[in-house]
Amino acid sequence: MGKIAGFYDSGIGGLPYLKWIREHSSGLTFRYLAESRYFPFGTKDEAAIREIVLDSIGRFIDRVSPDIIVIACNTASVTALELLRRTYDIPFVGVVPAVKPAAMISRRKSIGLFATNKTVSQMYTQKLISDFASDCIVEKFAMPEIVSFVENNIFTASKDEIIEKITPAAEFFRKSNVDTVILGCTHFVYLEEMFREVLGPDISVIDSREGVGRHAISLLSALPERNTDDLSDAFYVTSVAAMPENYKAISSNFGLAFGGEI
Ligand code: DGL
């Protein structure tokens, strides 16, 4: 008996979300799918992202029968969440930029949004801002190289290399005079500590892990236990040939067995 929580991202960005939920729950089985075949999403057009996500999530559902799926990717959520909900009959938890909490804590009502090109330009994000942060100035910054850098190098890069990579973003936000920065791409969550260090104590850095995690746990706790014969936690990819070399090591560091291709 058990419940299976599924996670999906273009790469490793969703793993910190899985980790948060695992640390705050018990009795769940975790299954993660990384879209290694089509990484990255942030520079693709909407139609392409929708098609990729819809197709892969269909195969993920068939293969692992999750009780819920966390779309642990802001770009996929702001682009394809509504379509997923219309298409598949299981609960989806979206991961979108933490605009509402940022607006609540921003003292000067001046917020930075650090996300992919696609997320910063999507209507969904504009609506989030007009619904929850209409009294704030929101300065947006996208940098696709950082997504690839995190995906391929975050566990091997030196501190100096990481700081060099994030400096243009940090400078942009400092010059924009924001007091709160939203990490609106799940890959950027890996940079949280460095970002805090570079931005200094006057700028808060926030992400959506806790809000998403609590929502996912509450949805799961309302669902009935069901018979599942395999309770092992696993990490899958959509293409073994296209995945970075260190994926097996990364998945095992997050306590997930490598499950191969879906
Ligand atoms: N991790 C993803 C996000 O939250 C997408 C990064 C990408 O594939 O460009 O937006």
Side-chain angles (χ1 to χ4, degrees):
M1 298 293 274
K3 295 177 194 179
I4 298 174
F7 293 76
Y8 175 75
D9 179 48
S10 61
I12 59 171
L15 290 169
Y17 285 74
L18 181 153
K19 184 166 182 254
W20 194 99
I21 293 174
R22 184 193 268 140
E23 284 169 1
H24 293 83
S25 64
S26 59
L28 297 175
T29 295
F30 295 91
R31 300 280 160 83
Y32 188 99
L33 178 61
E35 186 60 76
S36 56
R37 186 180 300 275
Y38 294 110
F39 173 88
F41 283 162
T43 46
K44 292 193 169 53
D45 69 40
E46 267 172 55
I49 296 170
R50 289 205 178 103
E51 196 181 321
I52 294 164
V53 172
L54 201 67
D55 192 48
S56 294
I57 290 293
R59 294 197 312 279
F60 191 38
I61 292 171
D62 290 346
R63 175 79 169 271
V64 312
S65 306
D67 290 278
I68 70 163
I69 297 180
V70 180
I71 302 296
C73 173
N74 294 263
T75 312
S77 294
V78 298
T79 309
L81 195 58
E82 283 158 21
L83 178 63
L84 286 170
R85 287 189 171 132
R86 284 201 303 273
T87 310
Y88 300 113
D89 192 20
I90 71 165
F92 286 98
V93 176
V95 170
V96 299
V99 170
K100 192 177 176 183
M104 287 187 323
I105 63 167
S106 175
R107 300 173 310 276
R108 290 199 298 275
K109 298 296 168 200
S110 183
I111 298 168
L113 172 59
F114 186 28
T116 65
N117 300 63
K118 197 80 247 158
T119 299
V120 299
S121 62
Q122 271 289 9
M123 278 303 293
Y124 193 113
T125 308
Q126 298 311 321
K127 190 166 178 340
L128 273 181
I129 293 170
S130 50
D131 285 352
F132 300 114
S134 55
D135 57 343
C136 298
I137 289 169
V138 180
E139 303 284 358
K140 307 179 188 97
F141 191 83
M143 214 179 150
E145 312 85 275
I146 298 195
V147 177
S148 299
F149 172 76
V150 171
E151 180 73 9
N152 295 300
N153 307 100
I154 194 64
F155 295 106
T156 47
S158 66
K159 187 175 173 183
D160 285 351
E161 282 168 333
I162 299 175
I163 287 179
E164 192 190 315
K165 279 283 168 206
I166 63 175
T167 296
E171 271 174 8
F172 171 85
F173 290 124
R174 235 189 268 110
K175 280 194 193 125
S176 312
N177 210 20
V178 300
D179 63 23
T180 306
V181 171
I182 305 166
L183 300 178
C185 167
T186 56
H187 279 77
F188 299 164
V189 170
Y190 289 96
L191 303 168
E192 183 199 6
E193 274 176 37
M194 275 323 175
F195 227 72
R196 279 188 207 285
E197 197 176 313
V198 173
L199 287 173
D202 295 336
I203 302 182
S204 308
V205 177
I206 67 165
D207 62 70
S208 58
R209 262 173 299 179
E210 180 169 350
V212 167
R214 289 196 191 288
H215 181 45
I217 291 169
S218 109
L219 274 181
L220 280 157
S221 60
L223 295 173
E225 298 266 341
R226 63 192 172 90
N227 276 325
T228 47
D229 38 13
D230 179 4
L231 295 175
S232 60
D233 296 341
F235 179 95
Y236 304 91
V237 292
T238 53
S239 165
V240 169
M243 74 183 194
E245 260 172 39
N246 58 354
Y247 255 27
K248 288 186 184 166
I250 294 173
S251 50
S252 118
N253 285 344
F254 278 86
L256 304 168
F258 186 71
E261 216 167 85
I262 285 185

